[in-house]
């Protein structure tokens, strides 16, 4: 009987750990979805071509600045 209680206690610990991990994962997904919604709202009126040009120019600027700071 004592072994059964120990087994159940260990089972509850494992379930609690698993459920906490799932809850944390879902909370992180909510933040990502909110971020994606904000990005969509911000860029929904921008044409794909303009968005691509802006993205490439900003990416090149970031890489350039990163290379500058790494060479110093």
């Amino acid at each position: 009987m004592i072994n059964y209680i120990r087994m159940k206690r260990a089972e509850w610990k494992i379930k609690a750990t698993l459920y906490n991990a799932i809850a944390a994962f879902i909370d992180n997904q909510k933040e990502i979805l909110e971020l994606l919604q904000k990005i969509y709202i911000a860029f929904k009126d921008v044409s794909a071509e303009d968005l691509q040009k802006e993205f490439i120019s900003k990416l090149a600027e970031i890489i350039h600045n990163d290379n500058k700071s790494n060479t110093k």
Side-chain angles (χ1 to χ4, degrees):
M1 186 66 173
I2 293 174
N3 286 336
Y4 178 77
I5 293 171
R6 287 182 184 157
M7 181 187 71
K8 282 297 182 182
R9 184 173 178 216
E11 181 182 332
W12 292 335
K13 283 184 182 180
I14 291 172
K15 283 184 180 180
T17 305
L18 180 63
Y19 293 156
N20 286 335
I22 291 171
F25 179 76
I26 290 171
D27 286 342
N28 288 339
Q29 294 301 316
K30 287 180 184 176
E31 293 172 2
I32 291 171
L33 289 175
E34 288 175 3
L35 176 64
L36 290 175
Q37 287 175 341
K38 289 178 184 177
I39 289 172
Y40 173 74
I41 290 169
F43 292 115
K44 70 179 179 181
D45 296 329
V46 178
S47 71
E49 186 175 308
D50 291 340
L51 186 60
Q52 183 180 8
K53 287 179 184 177
E54 186 69 24
F55 175 75
I56 290 172
S57 67
K58 291 293 182 184
L59 181 62
E61 182 181 326
I62 290 169
I63 292 171
H64 179 71
N65 291 339
D66 190 42
N67 286 336
K68 259 186 174 178
S69 65
N70 285 341
T71 58
K72 289 183 180 181

